[in-house]
Structure formats: structure tokens, C-alpha cells
Amino acid sequence: MKEGLNALLQTKYPKTKYKYYSMAVVEGYDRPCFFTQIRPIDASPVNYNTRHHQVVFYITILQKQVDEEEMLRMIQEVQDLFGLNVKIEKKSLNVTDFDWQYAGTDRNVPEISIGLEWLEKIVHEVNEPLVERVITEKEMEE
């Protein structure tokens, strides 16, 4: 899923100009770049056959040089890119929340959080043999 979400970002911000990193990278990164992370919120069953998933996709943008106008434009472009729904492979993810704030020592690094949710079919493995024949008897009382 993260690969698909990053690929969506790369349609607007290509890898030829921007680098993409996981949150595990703490030094040696090149700017401009994106740090992305997925955090699970919920994975609870709805019924026997369906599970409800909620995650938050975090995007941190590090510019080459701090430029507030460009930063605000990029935040709006990311919001427009994700819209109300995102299709990743065969999954359709609903965008339930879009929020951003400033992070970093100087509070000049935009950190975007995007709430996503979807329903997933629960596949049940059947290991028991199928019933081939059923014999029933019925007794009548007088």
C-alpha cells in the first residue's frame, strides 16, 4: 500500500526531482525530499466476512530551501491529488481526513496526515471435507 501511495505522489513530484525516504532514514538524505510513513489505527471485524481498516499516511516535505509560498502550494496539490478516494491496485481507499502542521526545530517543515479507510474481505480457509450425501429419517407419532 505504501508503495502505491508513494507512486501517487510521484505522479506530481517525480523521483527525478524529489527523493523518497522512509522514517528510518535520519541522516544522509538529499533535499528536496519526502519522508512517508503509514500508521495503522484500526483493523476490526465488521462481520464474519468483512474487516474495516483505518490508517494514517504521513508525508513530511523537506524543501531545498524554506519557501512558504511553495510549501503552501505543495500542501494544496497533495490534497487535490488524494481527493476523496484513492485507488491502490484493486483497493479503493476512502480519504476520511486531511490535516497538516509544521514540525522541525524551526517549525518550518510541513507534515501532512491523510486518514484512509477501506473494507477488506476476510477469506476463510475450509479444510474440512464437503458433505457428499445426507441421509435423514423422519418418524411420525400417532
Side-chain angles (χ1 to χ4, degrees):
M1 177 184 305
K2 184 178 176 185
E3 187 177 310
L5 294 169
N6 281 342
L8 178 60
L9 272 176
Q10 291 164 14
T11 61
K12 184 72 179 172
Y13 306 102
K15 287 173 106 175
T16 54
K17 185 175 179 188
Y18 297 89
K19 302 294 182 192
Y20 287 80
Y21 299 103
S22 74
M23 296 308 230
V25 176
V26 293
E27 59 183 43
Y29 50 85
D30 294 323
R31 291 178 180 233
C33 64
F34 291 92
F35 283 83
T36 61
Q37 176 184 24
I38 291 179
R39 263 194 222 149
I41 302 297
D42 182 42
S44 58
V46 174
N47 56 39
Y48 182 72
N49 295 313
T50 309
R51 182 175 292 116
H52 176 254
H53 289 275
Q54 284 181 301
V55 300
V56 177
F57 182 52
Y58 291 96
I59 304 167
T60 304
I61 304 169
L62 293 180
Q63 299 171 295
K64 192 140 186 110
Q65 294 178 327
V66 176
D67 179 343
E68 185 179 19
E69 184 179 332
E70 179 192 39
M71 186 184 313
L72 293 172
R73 180 183 49 76
M74 289 177 77
I75 291 167
Q76 185 61 53
E77 288 172 348
V78 170
Q79 186 172 22
D80 293 344
L81 189 62
F82 278 79
L84 299 174
N85 186 282
V86 176
K87 187 160 179 152
I88 305 295
E89 295 177 10
K90 293 182 181 181
K91 286 187 171 104
S92 180
L93 312 176
N94 293 323
V95 176
T96 58
D97 186 45
F98 185 95
D99 193 17
W100 64 275
Q101 61 186 354
Y102 291 113
T105 307
D106 297 323
R107 309 296 294 165
N108 61 359
V109 176
E111 190 173 70
I112 299 169
S113 60
I114 303 170
L116 302 166
E117 72 177 7
W118 70 96
L119 295 175
E120 179 180 50
K121 180 180 177 182
I122 299 172
V123 178
H124 299 281
E125 297 285 331
V126 179
N127 296 327
E128 301 297 322
L130 293 175
V131 175
E132 293 180 19
R133 193 171 91 178
V134 177
I135 300 172
T136 62
E137 291 183 20
K138 187 173 185 180
E139 290 184 20
M140 307 244 335
E141 289 186 31
E142 289 186 46

